[in-house]
Amino acid sequence: MSEKNREAKRSARERLQVQREQEKRRERRKRTLVVSAAVVGVLGAAAAIGLVATNANKDKGSSGAAGPVLAPSGAQGKDELSIPVGRADAPSTLTVWEDFRCPACGQFENAFRDTIKELESAGQLKVDYHLATIIDGNMGGTGSLRAANAAACAQDVGKFAPYHDALFQNQPPEPDDAFADNGKLLEIAGKVDGLESAPGFKQCVEDGKHDKWVVNSNTAFQNGGFSGTPTVLLNGESVFPKKGGEDISPANFKRWVMEANKGKQPGTAPATPPGTGASPS
């Protein structure tokens, strides 16, 4: 074979290799766009559900709860209605209003949990959780109230964050008021290491110790002018289902936090037990 023919074949092989690499890159970009669109589409639809639920709840109102207002241990903010998670001195704060029966909240949590935890661990983000009961008002039942009270009881024993996650990971369909059963809530507590047997937790759940606090939190939500759950604010600016003209996605959310934190030191306060909200010593 002549040197000229060998060079021609080598050039052809190189062009074919380049074409294959280009096709692989295009396919990777296509998969990324499909996944991103799916996440945004699901979250956008879920956000609309939250909006409808909020409007219905305004019509029906929330059932009251007897007894004194007993805020969970470490609750902060106005009227002690916020449950903080993460390093107290993190440069950015995510404020989240959620209902444990709300399907949109479950979609948000399951899509963004890992990203939020990564930013918390890096000292870049702290989260202030606020609990609402809009689905009880929309669908009937007491599951939102009962689950929120149980989460507040978990906060008392330093297990709010993992129990919060377990509730959303085991969330029933919206019309199913399964969380109205304290037995179901205690069953889910069994999935969180050390929670079910924690002193006082079971009694707190069964007694509805924090019911009135939950009712007050829901009233604050209704009076806050929010459009639905989840309401997600990064340093006071709404980021769900989009921030400005950009749809929320795990990658976008992480970028927004890092842009907000540019030039700022990450939080270095000792990490408190998940969910206690106690001031670090």
Side-chain angles (χ1 to χ4, degrees):
M1 182 183 295
S2 69
E3 184 65 27
K4 183 175 181 180
N5 287 338
R6 282 196 294 270
E7 285 295 331
K9 286 188 175 183
R10 184 162 56 247
S11 297
R13 285 197 301 271
E14 289 173 351
R15 286 195 301 272
L16 181 60
Q17 185 175 1
V18 169
Q19 289 175 342
R20 287 174 176 171
E21 288 298 320
Q22 290 174 338
E23 289 173 0
K24 287 179 181 179
R25 285 196 294 271
R26 282 196 295 269
E27 184 62 27
R28 283 196 296 270
R29 285 197 298 269
K30 181 179 178 181
R31 286 198 300 269
T32 299
L33 289 172
V34 168
V35 171
S36 298
V39 170
V40 170
V42 168
L43 290 174
I49 293 171
L51 173 61
V52 172
T54 301
N55 289 337
N57 192 53
K58 286 179 180 177
D59 291 336
K60 294 186 179 182
S62 298
S63 59
V69 178
L70 298 174
S73 174
Q76 296 179 358
K78 180 175 170 47
D79 298 325
E80 296 183 306
L81 295 178
S82 166
I83 296 179
V85 176
R87 301 181 185 276
D89 58 346
S92 279
T93 299
L94 190 71
T95 302
V96 182
W97 289 85
E98 293 180 315
D99 181 328
F100 287 111
R101 286 182 70 187
C102 163
C105 301
Q107 296 283 0
F108 170 76
E109 285 294 336
N110 293 329
F112 290 88
R113 181 177 297 112
D114 291 345
T115 303
I116 290 173
K117 288 187 182 301
E118 177 188 345
L119 292 166
E120 285 175 351
S121 298
Q124 298 291 342
L125 186 72
K126 63 179 177 178
V127 185
D128 286 339
Y129 288 100
H130 297 259
L131 306 182
T133 61
I134 65 171
I135 306 302
D136 285 355
N138 181 50
M139 304 296 296
T142 59
S144 299
L145 174 64
R146 298 265 48 80
N149 171 71
C153 293
Q155 166 73 7
D156 286 340
V157 295
K159 299 287 185 178
F160 172 80
Y163 187 57
H164 162 276
D165 295 347
L167 285 171
F168 280 119
Q169 288 165 338
N170 293 274
Q171 185 185 60
E174 185 180 15
D176 183 354
D177 197 26
F179 284 169
D181 179 5
N182 286 333
K184 178 66 173 178
L185 299 172
L186 292 171
E187 176 189 325
I188 295 173
K191 302 176 184 293
V192 176
D193 186 37
L195 176 56
E196 193 175 18
S197 60
F201 173 73
K202 182 178 180 181
Q203 196 67 46
C204 178
V205 172
E206 293 179 342
D207 290 348
K209 177 181 177 180
H210 299 298
D211 281 0
K212 185 62 176 175
W213 176 84
V214 175
V215 169
N216 286 358
S217 181
N218 186 66
T219 298
F221 172 79
Q222 290 181 309
N223 293 338
F226 305 119
S227 61
T229 56
T231 288
V232 186
L233 310 173
L234 177 61
N235 300 321
E237 180 182 1
S238 178
V239 294
F240 181 88
K242 59 176 57 183
K243 176 180 179 287
E246 290 187 286
D247 290 320
I248 191 170
S249 69
N252 280 348
F253 178 73
K254 186 174 182 179
R255 175 170 57 81
W256 297 338
V257 172
M258 300 313 294
E259 287 173 352
N261 292 353
K262 187 175 181 180
K264 301 176 183 177
Q265 293 297 315
T268 57
T272 56
T276 63
S279 298
S281 57

